Amino acid sequence: LKPLSPLPFQRCPLLLLRRSAKRMAGLSPDDTVEEALQRFAATFKEDAQGAELAQLTEKAVEVLRLEDDRETAVRLVTELRDKLHQARRLGRFVEEANVVERMAGRMRMDESYIRTSAVGPSIDQEQNPEMAEMLKQIQQADKESRPYEFFNTVDQTEMTVNIPVPASTAMKDVKVKVTAKTIRLEVAGHDTQPCVIDGAFFGPIEEHAFDFHLEGSGEKRILVLDLEKKKEGSKWPDLITYGA
């Protein structure tokens, strides 16, 4: 599955989490939506790969200021949220992604939530269970948008990918092209066409160790990919990286 719009984030997630937290230190719950987005746009501009995010953020602010096209404003903020989801998976702009996720949720639920509204504190499960549940659903939808399940750990190089496939899928229906850095997978009859996965791995793999097989039957039919990282000691946030 080709990810939306290129965002080639490939730096150390732990380091990026620390930098993100430092950047966000000055954001107050009393800051308005516009102030927060302007600050985020400035942050994105400082990053070598943040130009697209900065442009989208500034466009959202511009439309919010018009105050006569809420539908477009909500769409832009939601688009920004989705792109930040991609970055957050790789440890980038984590706090910005969390705040924009709250903004998008509030805008969809509350017509009075506008550019001059306070961003507000983090969602508290007890104080606002409806909002917390909605954000939980958004996060789950983000996870389920991938056509596969991905399993890997810090202390092992072996990785597994499970892909639900049509009940009638046979080995002849599967076409895989793999290098140490990229993968393209096609499955005849799969809902996702022309390819189920097409992109660059989050990190290099041992090409010779790659293998795949089919398991299960009926609705439980799955294609299993077996891979091995070249480097141990890290847990990949996803099988592929964005912007490949």
Side-chain angles (χ1 to χ4, degrees):
L1 175 66
K2 259 190 179 301
L4 297 174
S5 300
L7 289 174
F9 303 131
Q10 303 179 36
R11 300 180 191 170
C12 171
L14 179 58
L15 176 60
L16 292 164
L17 280 169
R18 290 172 177 168
R19 289 178 177 175
S20 180
K22 183 177 180 181
R23 287 196 306 266
M24 289 290 295
L27 183 66
S28 165
D30 295 328
D31 286 342
T32 67
V33 169
E34 180 176 355
E35 290 170 340
L37 289 176
Q38 287 177 325
R39 185 171 300 177
F40 295 166
T43 297
F44 299 148
K45 286 180 179 179
E46 293 174 357
D47 190 278
Q49 287 103 17
E52 182 183 1
L53 289 171
Q55 291 173 2
L56 181 56
T57 305
E58 290 179 335
K59 181 62 177 178
V61 171
E62 178 183 336
V63 175
L64 281 168
R65 285 174 177 166
L66 297 176
E67 299 183 353
D68 61 356
D69 192 356
R70 183 175 179 82
E71 182 178 348
T72 299
V74 173
R75 179 180 59 77
L76 288 170
V77 173
T78 301
E79 183 180 350
L80 177 62
R81 179 205 68 188
D82 293 343
K83 291 185 182 299
L84 284 170
H85 276 183
Q86 298 179 10
R88 183 170 59 187
R89 285 178 181 173
L90 302 180
R92 295 178 61 85
F93 304 127
V94 174
E95 292 301 325
E96 290 89 344
N98 292 341
V99 173
V100 172
E101 186 171 67
R102 296 206 308 272
M103 286 181 184
R106 287 285 301 276
M107 285 181 177
R108 288 162 59 184
M109 290 183 64
D110 185 357
E111 288 285 337
S112 66
Y113 190 75
I114 58 178
R115 69 180 179 85
T116 56
S117 300
V119 171
S122 298
I123 299 303
D124 184 278
Q125 177 70 37
E126 295 182 0
Q127 293 181 2
N128 198 335
E130 290 184 2
M131 179 66 74
E133 177 61 25
M134 191 199 72
L135 292 179
K136 181 179 178 181
Q137 291 175 2
I138 290 173
Q139 292 167 349
Q140 183 64 24
D142 177 48
K143 180 180 179 181
E144 293 176 352
S145 65
R146 296 177 297 184
Y148 56 81
E149 288 184 295
F150 177 54
F151 304 94
N152 80 115
T153 62
V154 172
D155 54 350
Q156 293 184 336
T157 57
E158 293 80 9
M159 303 183 293
T160 302
V161 179
N162 293 341
I163 306 167
V165 294
S168 61
T169 301
M171 290 295 284
K172 65 181 178 61
D173 298 317
V174 181
K175 295 182 180 180
V176 187
K177 183 178 181 181
V178 171
T179 70
K181 296 182 178 180
T182 64
I183 179 172
R184 180 180 174 88
L185 170 68
E186 301 175 17
V187 179
H190 196 281
D191 290 341
T192 304
Q193 294 293 337
C195 54
V196 181
I197 302 174
D198 186 13
F201 291 119
F202 181 76
I205 68 162
E206 296 289 355
E207 187 175 346
H208 65 84
F210 176 82
D211 198 6
F212 66 95
H213 63 278
L214 290 163
E215 291 184 3
S217 60
E219 294 182 355
K220 296 184 178 180
R221 187 71 161 167
I222 61 172
L223 174 64
V224 180
L225 309 183
D226 297 308
L227 309 95
E228 185 175 331
K229 308 171 194 171
K230 277 196 173 182
K231 296 181 180 180
E232 61 182 7
S234 66
K235 182 177 180 179
W236 289 10
D238 202 346
L239 175 67
I240 57 176
T241 188
Y242 292 87

